[in-house]
Amino acid sequence: MENISNGRRWLGLMAILAATLMNLLDSTVVNVAAPSILADLHGSYGDLQWIAAGYTLALAVGLLVGGRLGDMFGRRRVLLIGVVGFVAASALCAAAWSPESLIGARVVQGLFGAVMIPQGFGLIRDLFGPADIGKAFGVFGPAIGLSTILGPVVSGVLVDADVFGTGWRMVFAINLPLGLFALIAGLRTLPAGISPARARRLDTLGALLAAAGMFLLVFPLMQGRELGWPAWTWAMLAASVVVLGAFAAYQHRRKASGRTPLVELSVFAKRSYTSGTLFVLVFFGAIVGFSLAVGLFLQLGLGYSPVRASVTMSAWAIGAFLGSGFSAGAMAKLGRRVLHLGLALMTVGLILLYAMFSAHGTGIGGWSLALPLFAYGLGMGMIFVPLFDVIMGDIADHEVGSASGILESIQQLGSSLGVAALGTVFFTAAGVTGQAAGFLHASQRVTLVTIALTALAFGLAFLLPRRVRQHQPPAQGVTKAAEPARVLVNA
């Protein structure tokens, strides 16, 4: 490790934090700015879903190779390339002239985000070393957590303030100063080391097969409702199974021939890990799709301004922040039971929310929503910190890197599927009238589906290991403190 002065390494941490914040802001932007974008660009509800899901789908594909790029070419170089690409894509988002141009820019954003984000934790380890890494994450984790709470509110203020007549475009333009700081500070402070021994050739064909399979799965779910579910949408769904099967077969052949596969399929031989991937798909699909529905209901159904909607939903983020703090201290003792506790609280919050919808109808107020959203967020936060450690409880040491990368990619795929599936439920139930009563009905329908998905996740949790993974370096537990905030903003 390079000999880095104390001031320089803290400035380097701020550069990594700035890069991370760009991803946090852009992961929540659709929930805040969706109605404004829809009105300004004259897009459809399907376009709105793609603006959200295009980003997470690109992340899902890119994360399969993003971490390996840092091993091959150096984490600093790859992170800074990711920053430049992310900022350029943000500028394209801010200048978008049509829904299609915004969707395309969001996909590019997601790809560069997948290049940028995986380098952060490794660079923090390189900057601070084993002795001081706890101090670094003691700052990094809470900073990300607070940004999770304040980020959507700031985004709402930017949209409402209509700075220089830019409206929603400023939510993307704010990445330019953040990215410029990350680039300049990163060039000056981040270590440029590379580990040639860890470098491997990229599995390009594997990445393309994975991307094609995910696209074939998400696209018909997103477009089927608007197009009336023609036969080719069902054919695409069937083709996705074939392509993803071909991807798995290719990975097996690549491993058998002595080449490095994109994913280590041996991890799926363990029932607990396979069940964990299903849990991740269901859990993140539910919370991301539900989050989109709530944000749309507040603005389209109740007529809230972006900032008022953001403040109302901040009860959810505060609950998640507090829940993650609880589970960080309790997960070693409770193991997977903390997942069941969190899911039970989420269900209570959803039932309370449905009761509020039924009791108050379109006259429901923000304070009536605060308690159910807080309870839902509190339970959700309890799951974030221990989840990956519980799922990987039976994974061998040499499989940890691949297993973790697969779970991160599955998390983003689940987010895309949640936007597609629950978005379709929401807009189908809302109808074409755009009336408040229609959006209330849609929110009730989505809440019921989310209750069912949460119950399914509760059952799947029984198939996971009872205890969290124990044989981790001491700093890993601290590293996980930043995980809940990163996951939450992707919702």
Side-chain angles (χ1 to χ4, degrees):
M1 188 180 74
E2 297 179 23
N3 186 17
I4 303 172
S5 68
N6 194 53
R8 180 185 165 195
R9 64 182 183 175
W10 285 106
L11 182 59
L13 181 67
M14 293 303 103
I16 297 168
L17 179 60
T20 305
L21 287 178
M22 291 194 296
N23 175 57
L24 303 187
L25 289 171
D26 284 82
S27 297
T28 55
V29 65
V30 173
N31 294 343
V32 176
S36 301
I37 293 173
L38 209 63
D40 188 35
L41 298 183
H42 307 291
S44 67
Y45 290 144
D47 293 328
L48 189 151
Q49 289 175 272
W50 273 113
I51 291 167
Y55 184 83
T56 54
L57 186 59
L59 270 175
V61 176
L63 284 170
L64 291 174
V65 298
R68 190 165 296 171
L69 289 173
D71 294 336
M72 293 176 64
F73 302 110
R75 294 190 184 98
R76 183 183 76 165
R77 178 186 300 174
V78 172
L79 179 132
L80 296 179
I81 290 173
V83 168
V84 171
F86 197 93
V87 169
S90 298
L92 288 174
C93 288
W97 59 93
S98 67
E100 294 77 16
S101 63
L102 180 55
I103 293 166
R106 288 282 284 167
V107 170
V108 175
Q109 261 193 329
L111 290 173
F112 277 105
V115 169
M116 175 177 68
I117 297 304
Q119 319 310 325
F121 285 169
L123 282 168
I124 293 174
R125 287 194 296 268
D126 293 343
L127 278 170
F128 287 87
D132 295 323
I133 193 171
K135 297 178 183 178
F137 281 113
V139 173
F140 189 83
I144 295 299
L146 290 174
S147 299
T148 301
I149 297 170
L150 297 176
V153 178
V154 172
S155 298
V157 170
L158 289 173
V159 176
D160 263 4
D162 197 22
V163 181
F164 305 122
T166 55
W168 60 267
R169 299 175 189 273
M170 185 56 68
V171 178
F172 295 107
I174 196 68
N175 288 334
L176 274 63
L178 281 173
L180 184 62
F181 170 78
L183 183 62
I184 294 173
L187 283 169
R188 292 176 59 87
T189 62
L190 296 178
I194 183 173
S195 304
R198 297 180 63 193
R200 299 287 189 272
R201 293 186 61 183
L202 281 179
D203 180 6
T204 306
L205 178 57
L208 291 174
L209 284 172
M214 292 179 190
F215 178 79
L216 289 168
L217 178 61
V218 173
F219 184 86
L221 294 175
M222 202 82 72
Q223 297 296 127
R225 179 190 60 84
E226 288 194 346
L227 300 175
W229 298 103
W232 60 263
T233 59
W234 299 103
M236 286 185 73
L237 287 172
S240 72
V241 177
V242 175
V243 173
L244 290 174
F247 166 74
Y250 174 71
Q251 294 300 290
H252 178 74
R253 290 198 305 271
R254 189 175 175 90
K255 177 72 173 179
S257 66
R259 294 176 293 169
T260 304
L262 192 63
V263 299
E264 193 68 56
L265 293 178
S266 60
V267 297
F268 290 101
K270 299 175 175 63
R271 187 196 69 175
S272 59
Y273 183 83
T274 303
S275 302
T277 59
L278 291 175
F279 182 98
V280 168
L281 272 176
V282 172
F283 176 72
F284 285 99
I287 63 174
V288 174
F290 178 67
S291 173
L292 177 64
V294 171
L296 291 173
F297 170 67
L298 291 175
Q299 295 187 65
L300 297 177
L302 299 183
Y304 282 14
S305 67
V307 67
R308 186 180 178 188
S310 298
V311 170
T312 300
M313 292 186 71
S314 66
W316 182 341
I318 292 170
F321 186 64
L322 295 176
S324 65
F326 168 81
S327 63
M331 67 180 187
K333 180 180 180 180
L334 296 178
R336 77 179 183 197
R337 286 179 293 176
V338 77
L339 304 184
H340 284 123
L341 177 60
L343 290 164
L345 276 173
M346 289 172 65
T347 303
V348 169
L350 290 167
I351 292 172
L352 284 174
L353 186 65
Y354 188 85
M356 292 294 182
F357 286 150
S358 300
H360 299 286
T362 55
I364 192 170
W367 287 111
S368 299
L369 296 171
L371 179 60
L373 291 178
F374 177 81
Y376 186 81
L378 188 67
M380 188 176 70
M382 290 182 184
I383 296 170
F384 284 160
V385 174
L387 179 57
F388 280 20
D389 285 336
V390 169
I391 292 174
M392 295 198 296
D394 296 336
I395 296 297
D397 289 346
H398 72 278
E399 297 172 326
V400 168
S402 181
S404 179
I406 293 169
L407 285 178
E408 290 180 355
S409 183
I410 291 291
Q411 172 192 320
Q412 299 303 330
L413 176 60
S415 299
S416 298
L417 291 172
V419 171
L422 292 186
T424 296
V425 170
F426 182 86
F427 292 122
T428 300
V432 296
T433 62
Q435 299 297 316
F439 288 116
L440 173 67
H441 175 63
S443 299
Q444 290 175 305
R445 183 71 59 83
V446 168
T447 302
L448 288 175
V449 174
T450 307
I451 290 173
L453 291 173
T454 306
L456 176 58
F458 193 94
L460 288 171
F462 283 108
L463 301 177
L464 304 182
R466 294 180 180 273
R467 294 292 178 185
V468 299
R469 185 176 181 80
Q470 296 296 323
H471 44 93
Q472 296 173 336
Q476 183 71 10
V478 184
T479 301
K480 285 292 178 183
E483 180 68 14
R486 186 183 67 79
V487 176
L488 176 62
V489 294
N490 286 335

